[in-house]
Amino acid sequence: MNNQTTRPKDHSPVLPSPSVLAHSRSQLLYHLPNTGLGDNATQSHLLDSIVPALNGSSKSPHYYGFVTGGSTPIASFADNLVTKHDQNVQVHLPNETIATNVEAVALQMVCEMIDPVGIGGEESHWDHRTCTTGATASNVLGLALGREWVVQQVGLKSQGTVARVSVAEDGILQAMQAAQLDTVQILTTVAHSSLRKAASIVGLGQNSVIDIGSSIPTQAHRPDLKKLEAALQTPRTASIIVISCAEVNTGLFATDGPLLVSIAKLAKQYNAWIHVDAAFGLTAALLPESNEFEYVRRGVANLHLADSITGDAHKMLNVPYDCGISLSRHLDLAIQVFQNPNAAYLNTASTETTTSQDRSIPSPLNIGIENSRRFRALPVYASLAAWGRNGYSDMIVRQVRLARRIAVYIKKSSAFELLAIPEDANRTKKDEMEHIYNIVLFRATDATLNEQLTQCINATSTVYVSGTRWEGLSATRFAIANWQVDVERDFDVVRGLLEGVLNGR
């Protein structure tokens, strides 16, 4: 399929104007009407009063805020089918619907898509795989699995094999007492906020997240092995190691192949669980094996050593919100944690029991958070089928090249400062922008302009960016994630916008 021809040339403003927003808010129904408007009038209300006030986060290739993918045309088409047929993908019912089969093969294709770096290959390697609402939910799954596993491992050492210690069955307090544990710690670098949120949800607490990053500022995203091992040796403490596979502010990867091997050896020695947060970094595996992308590709090397992985399909796969991906190598553990016990009614229409582990497709409600689930896998399946490995590789290449073009322009400009340039032994120095994946972090050199830079850019409604903080000062970031990227066209837009901001336009 030639997806190059499907990218539109003209685009509406990225943001609605203040007047449009104000008008639309004035038209909202703030109370339940006694007599309904009816379908036709409500459709007009939606199209006339609400749609104009929505942003262009998906439609525009120039929405560079957060890390927001668009929706490929085929993914949008499939999502309309999801609504039309309204499947509840909860129990594997092979004689009644193909929905669970679609999810299974879609996730298998995800594993195959990133197989060149060793994450997939054997279909059984990631035997626990499921679609979630997004990376936050996938991180919850990863931490819940890690919590169960590390407490069990310590419990086996302290009590032997007489009785299994289980947080899922006995609760965290009783299980940790039985395992003679005081705490479970989460060891990571430059943690995404969703990781602390997930830690809170699974009962470990936000303060359980401990940074073991390098003390060298330009390498803070990389784990310090000495700090890591010292933390793993903490008495009466179990550990989950979380690897950031593309950090949200910088796009930098926490590990390379050899470093992850060293971390995995420590994890095995100290019975720690390895979880990888690859919300938007997973697709770096699709970059061609060339010098141009060698540095970034090393960031996703040896991910098969992880116990669980988070991915976000509504980011780099460019399918509609909401769709995340969770992979782990521990299906039996997932069923222990997420199964619906004593729910006979969930089996009455199925030829399989929901707790059996020998079936080809486990019932999704027993391996994830939700019992009621939208058919999120269909847009993933459709987009992977339409674009294929080569189509997605081309998409990621365009995104990376645009990010690097913007970064080169910023670095050469005396009016801006390019931030977060790593100075480590893994840099080849052949390409000064080889560390750039899809995020460009920068600030204005003029302090007054810098405080207003993000607002000035977004006020044009031509481009949208996110503001953040870096080393105590305001900073701005471009996050390139939309399927419609055209390097030359979009760079001209960004360059013209930045020059306009400098000139006060």
Side-chain angles (χ1 to χ4, degrees):
M1 176 179 177
N2 182 7
N3 291 292
Q4 301 288 333
T5 61
T6 65
R7 301 203 302 275
K9 296 181 180 179
D10 300 318
H11 305 279
S12 57
V14 176
L15 298 178
S17 67
S19 61
V20 168
L21 284 168
H23 174 74
S24 290
R25 288 194 178 99
S26 72
Q27 299 300 304
L28 289 176
L29 303 179
Y30 287 95
H31 301 284
L32 177 68
N34 290 325
T35 302
L37 303 179
D39 288 355
N40 291 336
T42 302
Q43 287 180 9
S44 297
H45 171 63
L46 298 180
L47 293 173
D48 297 339
S49 300
I50 293 179
V51 170
L54 302 177
N55 66 35
S57 59
S58 180
K59 294 172 61 178
S60 173
H62 303 138
Y63 190 95
Y64 303 127
F66 313 101
V67 183
T68 305
S71 178
T72 65
I74 191 64
S76 296
F77 172 80
D79 200 58
N80 288 332
L81 293 180
V82 171
T83 298
K84 180 177 180 180
H85 295 280
D86 197 23
Q87 302 288 285
N88 183 9
V89 190
Q90 56 164 200
V91 178
H92 178 50
L93 302 170
N95 297 323
E96 300 168 31
T97 176
I98 199 174
T100 49
N101 298 87
V102 172
E103 180 164 339
V105 297
L107 291 170
Q108 174 60 23
M109 282 196 284
V110 169
C111 292
E112 292 175 357
M113 182 180 70
I114 46 187
D115 182 58
V117 292
I119 189 174
E122 294 295 331
E123 191 166 333
S124 61
H125 185 76
W126 301 102
D127 56 357
H128 172 219
R129 47 187 187 244
T130 188
C131 288
T132 68
T133 56
T136 301
S138 295
N139 281 339
V140 170
L141 263 65
L143 292 191
L145 291 170
R147 176 198 64 186
E148 183 76 8
W149 191 83
V150 298
V151 172
Q152 282 187 10
Q153 295 303 304
V154 175
L156 287 173
K157 290 179 65 176
S158 63
Q159 290 193 343
T161 58
V162 177
R164 185 182 73 188
V165 176
S166 173
V167 175
E169 294 179 5
D170 302 320
I172 192 165
L173 290 178
Q174 185 172 330
M176 289 181 66
Q177 288 174 355
Q180 300 177 28
L181 278 171
D182 292 332
T183 188
V184 176
Q185 62 184 353
I186 300 169
L187 307 174
T188 190
T189 63
V190 199
H192 190 275
S193 60
S194 69
L195 184 66
R196 297 184 189 277
K197 183 175 185 176
S200 173
I201 292 171
V202 302
L204 301 181
Q206 298 174 10
N207 291 336
S208 69
V209 179
I210 299 172
D211 194 298
I212 44 88
S214 170
S215 57
I216 302 172
T218 56
Q219 299 183 44
H221 61 290
R222 293 177 65 81
D224 183 314
L225 289 178
K226 291 183 179 179
K227 287 184 181 179
L228 174 59
E229 184 163 19
L232 291 171
Q233 293 173 341
T234 305
R236 296 178 61 89
T237 300
S239 302
I240 299 170
I241 303 169
V242 177
I243 306 297
S244 178
C245 193
E247 190 270 327
V248 71
N249 270 323
T250 64
L252 296 174
F253 292 76
T255 64
D256 52 35
L259 180 55
L260 189 52
V261 169
S262 298
I263 292 171
K265 289 179 179 177
L266 289 174
K268 183 176 181 180
Q269 180 180 351
Y270 294 101
N271 289 316
W273 177 277
I274 298 178
H275 175 69
V276 174
D277 184 349
F280 62 95
L282 208 54
T283 44
L286 288 169
L287 290 168
E289 296 182 17
S290 65
N291 290 337
E292 182 180 4
F293 305 111
E294 178 186 359
Y295 184 87
V296 170
R297 281 181 55 85
R298 285 202 297 264
V300 286
N302 289 333
L303 290 187
H304 64 282
L305 298 173
D307 292 288
S308 57
I309 296 180
T310 282
D312 238 344
H314 56 229
K315 287 185 172 70
M316 303 307 281
L317 290 187
N318 276 247
V319 301
Y321 279 91
D322 50 21
C323 185
I325 292 168
S326 179
L327 306 174
S328 90
R329 297 189 286 113
H330 305 268
L331 177 60
D332 55 344
L333 191 72
I335 293 174
Q336 290 175 28
V337 175
F338 302 114
Q339 67 179 315
N340 284 253
N342 303 318
Y345 79 99
L346 294 174
N347 296 327
T348 55
S350 176
T351 57
E352 302 171 338
T353 65
T354 59
T355 56
S356 66
Q357 299 178 32
D358 58 351
R359 59 191 179 281
S360 59
I361 300 176
S363 291
L365 86 170
N366 283 324
I367 58 172
I369 298 172
E370 301 162 300
N371 281 3
S372 300
R373 303 172 73 249
R374 181 174 170 83
F375 194 7
R376 296 184 182 92
L378 187 59
V380 176
Y381 175 85
S383 208
L384 290 174
W387 286 70
R389 183 190 300 275
N390 293 339
Y392 268 103
S393 178
D394 169 74
M395 183 193 300
I396 305 303
V397 165
R398 287 186 280 113
Q399 292 167 357
V400 173
R401 285 177 175 165
L402 175 59
R404 292 179 178 182
R405 283 285 297 276
I406 295 171
V408 168
Y409 169 80
I410 288 171
K411 194 171 190 299
K412 289 181 177 179
S413 172
S414 60
F416 300 110
E417 177 188 4
L418 185 66
L419 303 173
I421 303 175
E423 297 177 4
D424 59 64
N426 293 297
R427 297 288 305 280
T428 66
K429 306 298 183 184
K430 290 181 290 187
D431 180 356
E432 62 178 353
M433 296 301 155
E434 65 181 358
H435 66 284
I436 297 287
Y437 175 42
N438 72 323
I439 289 181
V440 182
L441 184 68
F442 72 109
R443 65 167 60 107
T445 54
D446 179 87
T448 301
L449 174 60
N450 188 56
E451 289 301 315
Q452 305 170 355
L453 182 59
T454 301
Q455 292 79 5
C456 289
I457 292 173
N458 293 342
T460 68
S461 198
T462 301
V463 164
Y464 184 85
V465 294
S466 292
T468 187
R469 304 285 294 181
W470 185 256
E471 296 178 343
L473 298 175
S474 297
T476 300
R477 57 191 281 281
F478 287 94
I480 319 296
N482 194 284
W483 67 276
Q484 301 171 79
V485 163
D486 181 293
V487 177
E488 298 300 326
R489 177 200 67 195
D490 297 341
F491 174 69
D492 287 344
V493 170
V494 170
R495 178 178 56 189
L497 178 138
L498 291 177
E499 291 174 354
V501 167
L502 291 176
N503 294 327
R505 299 199 302 268

